[in-house]
Amino acid sequence: MAGGLKHYKLAQDPAFVRLSNMTNNRYRYFRWTPRTARLSFIYMVVVPGIVGYIAYKTDGKYEFRAKLRGDDIREY
């Protein structure tokens, strides 16, 4: 029946093995450089700031409930 004998032989690709090892040990080789500091700042401060600003400016501006076809979704 299926699975009784071990007929499968998998030859691992060395490039995939290296990639797996690199991603598992990424924290060991991380260094703060000007590029990583800039990217971290952008993703932790700038992007949430832009999303928050857009959310704040459009809060209450659109109403999607109880609208019919052709009705305007803008409240003001």
Side-chain angles (χ1 to χ4, degrees), residues 3-45:
L5 298 174
K6 305 263 183 193
H7 291 292
Y8 55 90
K9 298 288 183 187
L10 179 65
Q12 294 182 343
D13 187 5
F16 286 133
V17 172
R18 278 193 313 243
L19 177 67
S20 175
N21 290 335
M22 183 186 69
T23 55
N24 290 336
N25 298 319
R26 186 179 305 258
Y27 68 95
R28 294 181 183 171
Y29 303 107
F30 179 78
R31 290 197 180 122
W32 283 105
T33 61
R35 181 177 185 266
T36 57
R38 183 173 49 250
L39 287 173
S40 298
F41 178 77
I42 287 171
Y43 286 125
M44 288 189 293
V45 177

